[in-house]
């Protein structure tokens, strides 16, 4: 059963009869930067001749994110503020910018999931905020533990304990965050030693990075939902990525949804300077939280092979 009150994500992503086509259509997009609703930005996608019902899951997650889980919205807000380099790129950019951002589920979804920041003229810049990366890493790992743990805890309880979840999952998700950052070291090294030559490496790293992201995006969620080691979660995520059609369909529907939202968000955040950037940061925070809620519920259903709790 796939209803507003009790969502079985396997039912939502089950394969129906073939539709004989492969198109993506937007039912609607937000018409303003104030108080958007999921209904105004929900999309229906026909992908790989399979119609996926993603809107119901996301709408229900939006209700939770703007209801009892709203206090957790401080996480995407705060992590969004840590995007120092993207802030600098936007605030120093001159001209009009259009862009799209493709993203699979992340441990913490924030404004930068929906914003394609412009690249300055003159090639790949060396970030002046590079020394702050260790601090950002620690903050993201700990906040991710508190966020995902609290969302999962709230599925079966009337309360959640953020600090308790930080303590329980923090070490494993810190290690996961460090691993993600470690994958960027070759690109950073090339940027520092040969900025002009780094462009080619980045072009190669983009498709490789997307493949790795797809294969392992469930890892931090599995650490929390399955309460397993990081290594076990990595293996389980890879197994799902290559062997579970529901995982694949959720991933691509998620990617197309975030890409659609990013088109408008990028226009507002980049071209309306500081006001647009602040508006994008604030307005996308509940949507970012809703996407985290949706993925926690989806992964829970994959692990337990049952419908997630009624919320």
């Amino acid at each position: 059963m796939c209803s507003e009150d009790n969502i079985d994500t396997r039912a939502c992503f089950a394969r129906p009869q073939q539709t004989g086509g492969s198109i993506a259509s937007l039912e609607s997009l937000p018409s303003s930067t104030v108080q958007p609703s999921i209904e105004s930005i929900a999309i229906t996608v026909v992908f790989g001749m399979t119609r996926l019902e993603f809107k119901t899951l996301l709408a229900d997650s939006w209700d939770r994110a703007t209801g009892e889980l709203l206090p957790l919205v401080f996480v995407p807000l705060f992590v969004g503020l840590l995007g120092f380099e993207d802030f600098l790129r936007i605030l120093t950019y001159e001209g009009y910018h259009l862009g799209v951002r493709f993203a699979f589920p992340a441990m913490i979804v924030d404004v930068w999931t929906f914003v394609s920041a412009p690249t300055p003229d003159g090639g790949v810049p060396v970030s002046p905020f590079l020394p702050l990366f260790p601090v950002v890493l620690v903050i993201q790992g700990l906040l991710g533990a508190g966020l995902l743990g609290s969302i999962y805890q709230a599925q079966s309880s009337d309360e959640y304990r953020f600090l308790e979840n930080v303590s329980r999952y923090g070490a494993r998700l810190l290690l996961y965050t460090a691993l993600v950052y470690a994958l960027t070291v070759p690109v950073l090294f090339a940027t520092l030693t040969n900025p002009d030559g780094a462009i080619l490496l980045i072009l190669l790293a983009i498709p490789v990075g997307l493949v790795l992201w797809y294969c392992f995006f469930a890892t931090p969620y599995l650490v929390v939902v399955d309460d397993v080691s990081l290594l076990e979660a990595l293996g389980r995520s890879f197994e799902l990525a290559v062997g579970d059609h529901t995982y694949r369909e959720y991933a691509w529907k998620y990617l197309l949804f975030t890409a659609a939202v990013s088109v408008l968000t990028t226009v507002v955040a980049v071209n309306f300077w500081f006001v647009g950037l602040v508006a994008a940061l604030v307005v996308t925070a509940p949507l970012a939280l809703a996407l985290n809620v949706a993925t926690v519920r989806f992964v829970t259903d994959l692990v337990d092979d049952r419908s997630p709790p009624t919320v």
Side-chain angles (χ1 to χ4, degrees), residues 10 32 34 60 71 83-84 99 113 128 153 161 170 191 225 255 292:
R10 286 193 177 274
S32 69
V34 181
D60 189 77
F84 307 119
T113 301
Q153 197 173 45
R161 294 173 289 278
T191 302
V225 172
L255 181 141
N292 274 127

Side-chain angles (χ1 to χ4, degrees), residues 28 41 47 83-84 99 115 143 162 179 217 233 235 248 278-279 300:
S28 57
I41 59 179
F47 181 80
F84 307 119
V115 174
L143 288 181
F162 189 88
L179 181 61
F217 76 73
R248 291 194 296 271
V278 172
T300 300

